[in-house]
Amino acid sequence: MLFQIKSYLKFLWYSKNEHAVHSPFVFNLITKCFYDKHSKPEYAILKTYRNSLVQNRNTIEVTDFGAGSKVFKSNNRSISKIAKTAGISSKRAELLHRIVHYFQPQNILEIGTSLGLATVALSLGNKKAKITTLEGCKNTIAVAQVNLQKICCTNVELITTEFGNFINAANLKSKIFDLVYFDGNHQRQATLHYFEQLLPTITNDTVWILDDIHWSSQMEETWKIIQQHPKVTVTIDTFQWGFVFFRREQPKEHFIIRV
């Protein structure tokens, strides 16, 4: 917790808003998407989905393949508490919806379904997109599947798998992902492995979103390595998320933006 507080204070010191951005691509993203304050009809669906989970007092046994939880001390967890503390926040779900709506990706990969709070935002952002979402825990993905069916998210394919088993050359052969949302394993080695394995799936316009880039010193180091990769041109640090772009026409540049 102390590490994250120090990281956040550092972020506040260095972060800027749209007035310090001279890249037209990033300026438009910030002003037309990040800072879009208009209400969307989909926000009500996101709220309904969240409330159904927050009100669910059932307990499930969670199998955690990643870095573990800083909140839970036991693998027996109430669905309500997972939704409140471990899932994507309401504000972030709305932002994720806007990002998908803004870029209109056709093929989306989500690494870490959990209860589907981010999945539904991805789905509603572009109902014509094909979304593949991966989750290692069979009990949490079962809850997500039931709730996604209730609101008719028919463009989502849920796959129960350890991430490393799915993200390999055989499964990814000839696949293209226009957007990848990484929210499943906050460890350096695993994140860098997924990064390298997924590079063949990118196009010039692909967007990657990495969750919790300031989770630990290990994740901050991972973020710096990704920024320096020769195929990466533009990155945006919003503290919670790191955005990665591969646009060859863009000069290599890093932005720290308050959202």
Side-chain angles (χ1 to χ4, degrees):
M1 181 61 72
L2 181 60
F3 173 83
Q4 289 181 323
I5 292 172
K6 289 181 178 178
S7 291
Y8 187 62
L9 292 175
K10 184 178 179 181
F11 168 82
L12 291 177
W13 180 261
Y14 287 105
S15 61
K16 309 292 182 183
N17 58 24
E18 76 275 20
H19 301 297
V21 173
H22 303 293
S23 163
F25 169 74
V26 177
F27 180 84
N28 286 333
L29 175 61
I30 294 171
T31 56
K32 296 180 180 180
C33 178
F34 286 3
Y35 293 169
D36 181 1
K37 302 302 181 184
H38 295 94
S39 182
K40 318 291 182 189
E42 291 83 3
Y43 291 175
I45 302 174
L46 295 177
K47 184 177 180 180
T48 298
Y49 189 92
R50 174 178 297 278
N51 287 342
S52 69
L53 293 170
V54 169
Q55 294 166 11
N56 190 330
R57 304 301 176 186
N58 293 330
T59 300
I60 59 174
E61 184 175 354
V62 174
T63 304
D64 200 330
F65 295 98
S69 171
K70 293 184 177 181
V71 177
F72 296 100
K73 304 303 180 185
S74 167
N75 286 339
N76 290 314
R77 305 170 188 176
S78 74
I79 293 172
S80 175
K81 193 168 184 180
I82 295 172
K84 288 178 182 176
T85 60
I88 189 173
S89 69
S90 296
K91 181 181 177 181
R92 287 281 158 176
E94 291 176 359
L95 175 56
L96 188 58
H97 168 268
R98 293 199 302 273
I99 290 163
V100 174
H101 183 73
Y102 182 82
F103 286 110
Q104 287 294 292
Q106 296 301 305
N107 292 288
I108 299 173
L109 175 65
E110 180 186 27
I111 304 174
T113 315
S114 188
L115 299 176
L117 287 163
T119 315
V120 67
L122 295 169
S123 174
L124 294 174
N126 182 7
K127 295 179 181 179
K128 295 181 179 179
K130 178 184 178 183
I131 301 167
T132 303
T133 182
L134 314 178
E135 176 56 52
C137 176
K138 64 180 182 180
N139 293 328
T140 52
I141 201 171
V143 174
Q145 184 168 27
V146 169
N147 284 274
L148 288 168
Q149 287 174 346
K150 286 180 181 178
I151 58 171
C152 299
C153 287
T154 56
N155 59 340
V156 179
E157 179 185 13
L158 298 99
I159 300 176
T160 307
T161 179
E162 290 188 42
F163 306 142
N165 292 340
F166 181 88
I167 303 172
N168 58 59
N171 280 336
L172 299 177
K173 188 177 181 180
S174 301
K175 286 188 181 296
I176 295 294
F177 292 114
D178 306 300
L179 187 145
V180 181
Y181 178 57
F182 297 77
D183 184 24
N185 191 322
H186 302 109
Q187 298 179 94
R188 173 176 172 166
Q189 185 175 355
T191 303
L192 291 177
H193 175 69
Y194 305 156
F195 177 89
E196 291 291 344
Q197 290 293 101
L198 286 165
L199 278 177
T201 72
I202 66 171
T203 69
N204 193 63
D205 298 317
T206 292
V207 184
W208 284 6
I209 307 171
L210 283 76
D211 187 54
D212 280 333
I213 56 172
H214 296 283
W215 168 272
S216 63
S217 60
Q218 189 182 89
M219 282 302 293
E220 284 193 347
E221 291 170 7
T222 302
W223 175 238
K224 290 176 183 177
I225 292 171
I226 289 172
Q227 288 178 304
Q228 294 164 6
H229 194 279
K231 287 193 176 181
V232 172
T233 53
V234 174
T235 60
I236 303 174
D237 178 350
T238 65
F239 190 74
Q240 180 74 33
W241 288 344
F243 291 81
V244 179
F245 299 93
F246 306 90
R247 295 163 56 85
R248 291 183 293 274
E249 66 272 26
Q250 299 282 143
K252 197 172 187 71
E253 199 166 3
H254 174 57
F255 300 88
I256 304 175
I257 302 294
R258 293 188 294 272
V259 176

